Amino acid sequence: MNGMASDHNTSSQEEYLPHYFQKEDPFASKLSKEADIIAGFYLTVIGILSTLGNGYVIFMSSKRKKKLRPAEIMTVNLAVCDLGISVVGKPFSIISFFSHRWVFGWMGCRWYGWAGFFFGCGSLITMTAVSLDRYLKICHLSYGTWLKRHHAFICLAVIWAYATFWATVPFAGVGNYAPEPFGTSCTLDWWLAQASVAGQAFILSILFFCLLFPTAVIVFSYVKIILKVKSSTKEVAHYDTRIQNSNILEMKLTKVAMLICAGFLIAWIPYAVVSVWSAFGQPDSVPIQFSVVPTLLAKSAAMYNPIIYQVIDCKFACCRSGGLKRSSLRKSRMYTVPAHRDSTAVNETQLEV
């Protein structure tokens, strides 16, 4: 009986045809012209804002490139990844939406899929490295004493190698890039999981190493940071009541952590859910009009990262300058408190976030 069941599963996998083989023209848009035009305008606005925002981050950082701290170098790398998505990827999809079909053929589809996954993976792994760096800096204070600029550049090399490896693996015969069900964009061939066990192993590997594991590190890091800052603030207040002003810093840190985590989850989790359902569920049961929404939402991720990192950092700078200008004595005494280990965590947070 088990043998018959396995034979049935194998035959069903062999009989499965992905959506791009079920129709004569896999690149024809399955949406209405009006929907394609709206999506095209949406991506145009997202692309312009993302290019300007991330370009501004890179330009301002280039003016002080020799003074950038390790954490700032990682932030610049995040802007480079997001700018790459906007400049390299979005023009393909914008032109295709306005053309009411994917106009770049299979070669362009595979290039677009590779570029999107490469820069998207690089962006996520950079966010993971930033969150892990801040966790170690705040919760394990000895880490900050030996971290130098060259360590950050080594980390960048690892990030780019990691993204290159996973984005190029599909070209080695274990995966592929294919058109989305709505026809005017391309992505990883999630539907391979319906065709073979090897396809399932490939998709599961991508999900774990390029989504689940990085997300777990991000959530773990920021939760630990928030808990550390809360406990440190309460204990430091017993030594010097004036450091109760650090409650403002705690709230700012909480907002930053929540924005980073929530922004990532809102942008990518819906797309991941639809992709997983296409891979392991019943892909034909996902309405085409519904599948395009998570894709467009995920493409907006590159836009708000510079807002999170720059606008919130400006608020931190304003809070620091406003608080420190009140009295040079208060400034001096505030930074002499870190004789206590827990209070140092608060001040390290102020310097690094």
Side-chain angles (χ1 to χ4, degrees), residues 250-263:
E250 176 190 342
M251 295 304 299
K252 294 291 184 182
L253 175 63
T254 303
K255 290 179 181 179
V256 172
M258 294 302 295
L259 281 173
I260 293 172
C261 295

Side-chain angles (χ1 to χ4, degrees), residues 99-111:
S99 300
H100 196 50
R101 63 174 288 107
W102 178 263
V103 297
F104 302 100
W106 276 102
M107 185 66 70
C109 180
R110 292 188 176 95
W111 157 251

Side-chain angles (χ1 to χ4, degrees), residues 226-241 243-247 250 340 342-343 345-346:
I226 292 172
L227 296 176
K228 182 67 175 179
V229 172
K230 285 185 177 181
S231 62
S232 299
T233 302
K234 293 178 181 180
E235 295 181 11
V236 170
H238 292 292
Y239 295 103
D240 192 335
T241 57
I243 301 197
Q244 292 177 358
N245 292 329
S246 296
N247 287 329
E250 176 190 342
H340 300 285
D342 289 329
S343 65
V346 177

Side-chain angles (χ1 to χ4, degrees), residues 126-147:
T126 301
M127 290 179 64
T128 305
V130 170
S131 66
L132 188 60
D133 169 78
R134 292 178 179 180
Y135 161 71
L136 294 173
K137 184 73 174 181
I138 295 169
C139 300
H140 301 277
L141 303 180
S142 60
Y143 165 80
T145 61
W146 62 267
L147 181 66

Side-chain angles (χ1 to χ4, degrees), residues 145-167:
T145 61
W146 62 267
L147 181 66
K148 306 298 180 183
R149 282 168 57 94
H150 69 272
H151 293 116
F153 289 114
I154 293 174
C155 186
L156 292 185
V158 173
I159 291 172
W160 287 110
Y162 192 93
T164 301
F165 173 78
W166 286 109

Side-chain angles (χ1 to χ4, degrees), residues 28-42 93-101 182 184 288-289 292 296:
S29 176
K30 312 306 185 296
L31 304 174
S32 65
K33 288 186 177 181
E34 293 76 10
D36 277 335
I37 291 174
I38 293 174
F41 275 115
Y42 167 81
S93 54
I94 291 172
I95 293 172
S96 296
F97 273 115
F98 282 127
S99 300
H100 196 50
R101 63 174 288 107
F182 50 87
T184 49
I288 293 178
Q289 293 78 5
V292 71
L296 296 177

